[in-house]
């Protein structure tokens, strides 16, 4: 009974921690937009919505950083960090949309380019050519950024202006590279062109005569803007701290969508290659999130310390998506195990490990399964090395490696999380194969090293001969 009571209390505590965390970063309102799709066949809309919301947050954080009046804050550095973060998000979103179109599309609307993702081809959220007023200026985040540049630009010194120009140039160039060929435009191109002009760049070509997405309906950028406009922030770094975590949740949602798609495409179509693509995309996002969360190292410790004290009882440990990631990622092994069980029986752990060793030893025998196994290695590394280790580095940098966080959790707990292996059977198989190959190739051990040593010796002897000849010439 005491144990049951302990479990019940622990569950209630975790539930309260989750609710507090989600309310703090305004996640419930944002999450609702991912689950209320407007397209007829919303295969990609949730990912598109969440990804663009992360980018919207980036625009608003850039504006907020420009308005920072603290004399001890180096605004230039933070603006550049956020700009690189936005640039990476654009790359990730483009990869997801283009890949999904290549995997799932069999026909292409002739009105659209071959790179147009399928979930936008037949939906009703595309504005017509006769309804273009404001259709290229639908981003609330860019609206806030444009207003901020207009009011703050003259107060920037020359170095800050050049930095802003460089940062915006990289963002806008990345957007053009990834989405410039689309015949149907996002609905923010007019604002992007205005930003270019404000920072001294050449404006984009005219947007007349184009078709645009109903960006406001798809992305709901007003919901993201509310994180800044509907709350009176008392402390410095508070908005920044919340926004980085909310952006993490946007992309964590996409990770879960990618992993779900991986399992579905394998079970439904038997497509291991496509499954591996989805898993690798999830791994890439996790590696990005490791860098994303470390942007918080730019916070001023004096100002964050006030927030930390008042946030006692609220922590990123309340993220349900992160907990689910640790719990569900190992399930990616299930279809591989079933595929390697040729007899259809329940293999023992030793048999399973030996089957993996055989797969590693002879990748050409089943390249599809081999590449899927390699994708599992990638996401294992991304979860532990890219995500959790980055969180440990962040906590150590901000509050110290021997400190405790806002729920009294030791920072070293994050370090211990990095010792985990999500797919231990893959690690064991690699170890076993390595030992086997050491025995099989024992006679060849060090051969390349010896050849290099011999090459070095030949070069040294040649140098000695040249030196002797030169000495004799000087003597003569």
């Amino acid at each position: 009974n005491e144990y049951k009571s302990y479990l019940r209390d622990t569950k209630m505590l975790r539930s309260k921690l989750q609710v507090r965390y989600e309310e703090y970063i305004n996640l419930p309102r944002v999450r609702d937009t991912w689950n209320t799709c407007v397209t007829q066949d919303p295969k990609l809309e949730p990912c598109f919505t969440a990804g663009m919301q992360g980018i919207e947050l980036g625009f608003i954080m850039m504006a907020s950083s420009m308005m920072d009046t603290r004399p001890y804050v180096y605004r230039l550095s933070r603006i550049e960090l956020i700009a690189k973060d936005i640039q990476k998000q654009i790359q990730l979103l483009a990869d997801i949309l283009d890949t999904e179109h290549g995997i799932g599309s069999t026909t292409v609307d002739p009105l659209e380019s071959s790179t147009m993702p399928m979930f936008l081809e037949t939906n009703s959220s595309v504005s017509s050519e006769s309804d273009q007023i404001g259709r290229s200026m639908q981003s609330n985040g860019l609206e806030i950024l444009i207003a901020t540049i207009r009011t703050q630009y003259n107060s920037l010194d020359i170095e800050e202006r050049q930095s802003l120009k460089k940062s915006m140039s990289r963002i806008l160039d990345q957007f053009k590279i990834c989405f410039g060929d689309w015949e149907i435009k996002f609905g923010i191109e007019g604002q992007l062109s205005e930003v270019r002009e404000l920072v001294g760049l050449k404006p984009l070509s005219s947007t007349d005569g184009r078709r645009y997405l109903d960006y406001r309906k798809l992305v709901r950028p007003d919901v993201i803007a509310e994180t800044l406009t509907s709350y009176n922030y008392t402390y410095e770094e508070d908005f920044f701290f919340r926004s980085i975590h909310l952006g993490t949740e946007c992309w964590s949602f996409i990770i879960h969508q990618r992993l779900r798609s991986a399992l579905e495409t394998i079970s439904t179509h038997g497509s291991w290659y496509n499954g591996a693509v989805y898993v690798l995309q999830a791994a890439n996002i996790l590696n990005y999130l490791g860098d994303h969360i470390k942007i918080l190292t730019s916070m001023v410790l004096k100002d964050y310390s006030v927030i930390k004290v008042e946030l006692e009882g609220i922590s990123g440990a309340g993220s349900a998506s992160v907990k689910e990631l640790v719990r569900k990622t190992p399930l990616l092994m299930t279809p591989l195990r079933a595929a390697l069980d040729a007899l259809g029986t329940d293999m023992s752990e030793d048999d399973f490990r030996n089957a993996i060793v055989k797969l590693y030893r002879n990748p050409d025998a089943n390249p599809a399964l081999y590449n899927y196994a390699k994708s599992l290695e990638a996401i294992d590394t991304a979860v532990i090395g890219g995500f959790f280790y980055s969180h440990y580095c962040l906590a150590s940098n901000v509050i110290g490696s021997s400190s405790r966080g806002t729920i009294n959790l030791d920072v070293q707990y994050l370090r211990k999380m990095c010792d985990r292996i999500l797919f231990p059977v893959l690690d064991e198989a690699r170890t076993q194969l390595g030992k086997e190959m050491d025995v099989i190739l024992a006679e060849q051990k060090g051969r390349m090293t010896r050849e290099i040593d011999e090459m070095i010796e030949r070069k040294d002897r040649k140098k000695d001969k040249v030196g002797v000849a030169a000495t004799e010439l000087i003597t003569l």
Side-chain angles (χ1 to χ4, degrees), residues 282-305:
N284 288 337
I285 296 172
L286 280 163
N287 287 323
Y288 152 71
L289 287 179
D291 292 332
H292 171 77
I293 199 72
K294 284 191 291 188
I295 295 177
L296 289 175
T297 59
S298 67
M299 292 190 303
V300 176
L301 179 57
K302 175 181 74 72
D303 296 329
Y304 170 69
S305 296

Side-chain angles (χ1 to χ4, degrees), residues 14-257:
R14 287 177 177 173
S15 177
K16 181 178 289 188
L17 179 63
Q18 178 181 330
V19 172
R20 287 171 174 170
Y21 166 76
E22 292 180 354
E23 289 295 333
Y24 173 66
I25 65 173
N26 194 34
L27 180 58
R29 181 102 161 86
V30 175
R31 185 171 52 208
D32 286 344
T33 66
W34 306 336
N35 300 320
T36 54
C37 299
V38 300
T39 51
Q40 296 173 358
D41 188 17
K43 294 179 181 178
L44 268 178
E45 183 190 336
C47 289
F48 178 78
T49 298
M52 284 308 304
Q53 287 174 342
I55 294 172
E56 285 278 326
L57 272 171
F59 291 140
I60 298 173
M61 284 192 289
M62 285 193 75
S64 176
S65 297
M66 288 182 64
M67 292 186 287
D68 197 326
T69 58
R70 290 173 292 172
Y72 48 85
V73 171
Y74 190 46
R75 293 184 298 183
L76 184 153
S77 176
R78 180 171 291 184
I79 288 172
E80 290 183 349
L81 284 172
I82 296 171
K84 290 178 181 178
D85 185 77
I86 296 173
Q87 191 176 352
K88 183 61 179 178
Q89 290 184 72
I90 293 172
Q91 292 174 342
L92 289 170
L93 185 60
D95 182 45
I96 290 170
L97 299 183
D98 286 342
T99 299
E100 189 71 24
H101 182 268
I103 288 175
S105 179
T106 57
T107 60
V108 179
D109 188 322
L111 293 175
E112 300 167 6
S113 69
S114 60
T115 58
M116 196 65 190
M118 59 187 172
F119 84 98
L120 302 178
E121 291 178 357
T122 58
N123 74 71
S124 59
S125 58
V126 178
S127 62
S128 65
E129 295 181 11
S130 60
D131 183 27
Q132 292 190 33
I133 299 176
R135 289 301 186 183
S136 66
M137 307 182 76
Q138 301 182 57
S139 166
N140 292 64
L142 281 171
E143 182 181 349
I144 293 171
L145 179 59
I146 288 170
T148 303
I149 294 175
R150 289 186 183 279
T151 58
Q152 300 292 323
Y153 191 76
N154 290 334
S155 67
L156 303 179
D157 58 35
I158 294 177
E159 187 179 11
E160 288 176 327
R161 291 184 185 183
Q162 288 299 319
S163 175
L164 179 62
K165 181 178 181 179
K166 179 180 66 176
S167 296
M168 291 310 307
S169 176
R170 289 175 176 172
I171 292 173
L172 300 172
D173 287 347
Q174 190 66 59
F175 187 88
K176 183 177 180 181
I177 290 170
C178 292
F179 306 117
D181 291 337
W182 286 19
E183 292 184 12
I184 293 180
K185 301 304 179 182
F186 274 40
I188 63 175
E189 285 76 7
Q191 289 166 301
L192 294 176
S193 182
E194 187 172 354
V195 169
R196 289 181 64 89
E197 289 188 83
L198 288 173
V199 298
L201 296 168
K202 183 179 178 181
L204 297 172
S205 58
S206 173
T207 57
D208 295 338
R210 293 178 176 173
R211 299 175 67 204
Y212 296 98
L213 296 173
D214 192 335
Y215 183 86
R216 286 195 178 95
K217 186 183 291 185
L218 279 169
V219 178
R220 275 60 62 92
D222 57 309
V223 176
I224 298 300
E226 288 175 2
T227 60
L228 176 66
T229 60
S230 66
Y231 189 85
N232 183 25
Y233 291 95
T234 306
Y235 301 115
E236 304 288 355
E237 308 291 14
D238 192 8
F239 169 73
F240 185 56
F241 189 69
R242 297 188 199 212
S243 297
I244 290 293
H245 281 86
L246 182 56
T248 300
E249 292 295 329
C250 289
W251 283 98
S252 294
F253 169 77
I254 298 176
I255 290 172
H256 286 287
Q257 294 290 310

Side-chain angles (χ1 to χ4, degrees), residues 421-441:
I421 299 177
L422 297 180
F423 304 107
V425 68
L426 296 181
D427 182 60
E428 293 167 5
R430 292 191 297 269
T431 301
Q432 181 176 325
L433 179 60
K435 291 179 179 179
E436 290 179 6
M437 296 304 291
D438 283 345
V439 174
I440 294 171
L441 302 174

Side-chain angles (χ1 to χ4, degrees), residues 374-387:
K374 295 299 290 183
S375 74
L376 298 188
E377 292 178 11
I379 197 166
D380 195 338
T381 301
V383 170
I384 305 304
F387 190 73

